[in-house]
Amino acid sequence: MNKTAHPADIAARNQVEAAKSFSVHLRRGPDFKINEPAATLAEAITIADRLSKEHANKTPLIYAITPENFTVLVPKDMITSARK
């Protein structure tokens, strides 16, 4: 069975590809969260890997920041393909 992508998912992917910057977010508790900016997706992945190692292998979220200053969660499969 061939699964087609939802139009909203396609639009989100297009926004990630056109992002002006990225933000790496890790929440460790109600009062402890880390947000680090990144210029590129590759840089954001490097930051996320470092934060994951520093904080007991918790997985940070990576957000794309669009030219309109909206944030879009970067899908895991886009992160995986960017690692290659």
Side-chain angles (χ1 to χ4, degrees):
M1 179 156 100
N2 188 9
K3 184 178 176 183
T4 59
H6 190 277
D9 293 333
I10 294 170
R13 287 175 180 280
N14 291 337
Q15 289 178 320
V16 169
E17 291 173 2
K20 67 175 184 175
S21 62
F22 295 85
S23 178
V24 182
H25 176 81
L26 179 65
R27 186 176 189 104
R28 294 284 298 153
D31 296 329
F32 179 53
K33 54 188 166 185
I34 300 168
N35 287 307
E36 290 196 25
T40 64
L41 182 56
E43 183 182 343
I45 291 170
T46 302
I47 293 169
D49 290 343
R50 178 180 51 80
L51 289 175
S52 179
K53 287 177 186 174
E54 291 174 0
H55 297 280
N57 292 324
K58 300 288 182 186
T59 304
L61 299 174
I62 300 175
Y63 291 94
I65 302 171
T66 68
E68 299 83 18
N69 287 327
F70 295 117
T71 57
V72 179
L73 182 65
V74 178
K76 287 184 182 182
D77 64 321
M78 286 185 86
I79 294 169
T80 302
S81 65
R83 286 182 191 275
K84 297 179 183 175

